[in-house]
């Protein structure tokens, strides 16, 4: 059974790396800005064991997405993740400008190198969820909800399809164009992909 089904049924609170399938090179800093890696080494050498709080926010009204992915990232790649305090809103929450959506408190050397990756996850997933939400909202202006299909395969790199498909689902699209986009939500057929959908 897919984790999304367990989450929607209230059996689990968050999706995990079982869903997101992170690249293991994250642990080695492959996807982190070099200055985050250098900062980690400086903190380890000169100021270890000092708790900091990092907070994340969005500058516009938006539909938040990426919280489960960020928490899974931290639980998978941070050192001593059980010692970190995580506070988070939920995927799908409507957020206001500068509203704190996520905080992490703990020793910087345990998680600081993940900051840029966390920023990227929130930026990407929230952007897709918000854009889809706005299209779905526009598709019901006539008083009738026109179905919307997310066709993100046409405008971005194929490696983004699974995560973007989840973000589109959070934004309100009930149909995605590819099997990869449906990976997280668990659909495998094209029954929803008919010509009556508003495509974008």
């Amino acid at each position: 059974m897919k984790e999304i089904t367990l989450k929607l049924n209230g059996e689990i609170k968050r999706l995990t790396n079982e869903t997101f399938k992170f690249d293991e090179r994250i642990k080695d800093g492959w996807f982190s800005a070099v200055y985050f890696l250098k900062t980690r080494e400086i903190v380890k050498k000169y100021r270890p064991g000092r708790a900091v709080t990092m907070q994340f926010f969005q500058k516009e009204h938006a539909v938040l997405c990426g919280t489960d992915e960020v928490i899974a990232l931290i639980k998978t790649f941070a050192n001593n993740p059980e010692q970190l305090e995580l506070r988070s809103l939920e995927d799908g929450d409507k957020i206001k400008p500068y509203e704190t959506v996520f905080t992490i408190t703990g020793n910087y050397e345990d998680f600081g190198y993940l900051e840029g990756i966390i920023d990227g996850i929130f930026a990407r997933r929230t952007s897709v969820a918000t854009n889809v939400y706005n299209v779905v909202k526009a598709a019901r202006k006539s008083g009738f909800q026109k179905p919307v299909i997310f066709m993100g395969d046409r405008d971005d790199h194929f490696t983004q399809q699974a995560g973007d498909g989840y973000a589109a689902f959070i934004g309100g699209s009930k149909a995605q164009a590819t099997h990869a986009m449906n990976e997280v939500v668990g659909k495998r057929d094209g029954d929803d992909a008919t010509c009556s959908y508003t495509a974008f």
Side-chain angles (χ1 to χ4, degrees), residues 79-91:
N79 293 325
N80 307 308
E82 68 286 347
Q83 295 177 16
L84 301 174
E85 180 184 331
L86 310 177
R87 293 178 182 255
S88 180
L89 298 180
E90 301 283 335
D91 286 346

Side-chain angles (χ1 to χ4, degrees), residues 10-75:
E11 297 173 48
I12 62 171
K13 182 164 175 55
R14 300 281 184 181
L15 302 175
T16 70
N17 192 26
E18 183 179 319
T19 292
F20 298 112
K21 302 174 180 70
F22 295 116
D23 188 316
E24 289 298 319
R25 294 176 294 174
I26 291 171
K27 186 71 171 170
D28 301 325
W30 187 251
F31 300 98
S32 294
V34 173
Y35 62 87
F36 287 130
L37 302 175
K38 288 181 178 180
T39 301
R40 178 178 63 182
E41 294 311 308
I42 292 167
V43 169
K44 277 184 188 176
K45 185 172 181 178
Y46 297 105
R47 297 280 191 217
R50 296 181 185 230
V52 299
T53 297
M54 193 177 290
Q55 70 177 12
F56 297 83
F57 59 90
Q58 166 75 20
K59 294 180 181 178
E60 306 289 335
H61 288 278
V63 176
L64 179 63
C65 192
T67 62
D68 285 9
E69 193 170 357
V70 164
I71 291 169
L73 174 88
I74 292 165
K75 288 184 175 183

Side-chain angles (χ1 to χ4, degrees), residues 167-200:
F169 173 79
I170 292 298
S173 175
K174 301 303 181 228
Q176 280 58 266
T178 70
H179 294 305
M181 288 177 197
N182 285 306
E183 181 177 359
V184 175
V185 268
K187 293 183 182 177
R188 279 273 324 182
D189 60 43
D191 292 341
D192 292 328
T194 66
C195 294
S196 65
Y197 286 91
T198 302
F200 64 100

Side-chain angles (χ1 to χ4, degrees), residues 80-154:
N80 307 308
E82 68 286 347
Q83 295 177 16
L84 301 174
E85 180 184 331
L86 310 177
R87 293 178 182 255
S88 180
L89 298 180
E90 301 283 335
D91 286 346
D93 284 349
K94 311 281 188 309
I95 57 173
K96 298 174 186 164
Y98 301 100
E99 177 181 1
T100 300
V101 300
F102 182 78
T103 62
I104 178 171
T105 301
N107 295 336
Y108 181 87
E109 63 268 27
D110 288 344
F111 68 89
Y113 81 105
L114 298 171
E115 181 181 345
I117 299 170
I118 293 168
D119 283 334
I121 290 170
F122 279 135
R124 172 100 191 172
R125 303 301 180 229
T126 298
S127 176
V128 171
T130 302
N131 290 340
V132 170
Y133 172 80
N134 288 330
V135 170
V136 169
K137 194 162 106 177
R140 72 171 164 258
K141 285 221 182 230
S142 67
F144 171 74
Q145 179 63 62
K146 296 177 184 126
V148 174
I149 183 170
F150 178 67
M151 299 177 73
D153 58 311
R154 298 163 182 250

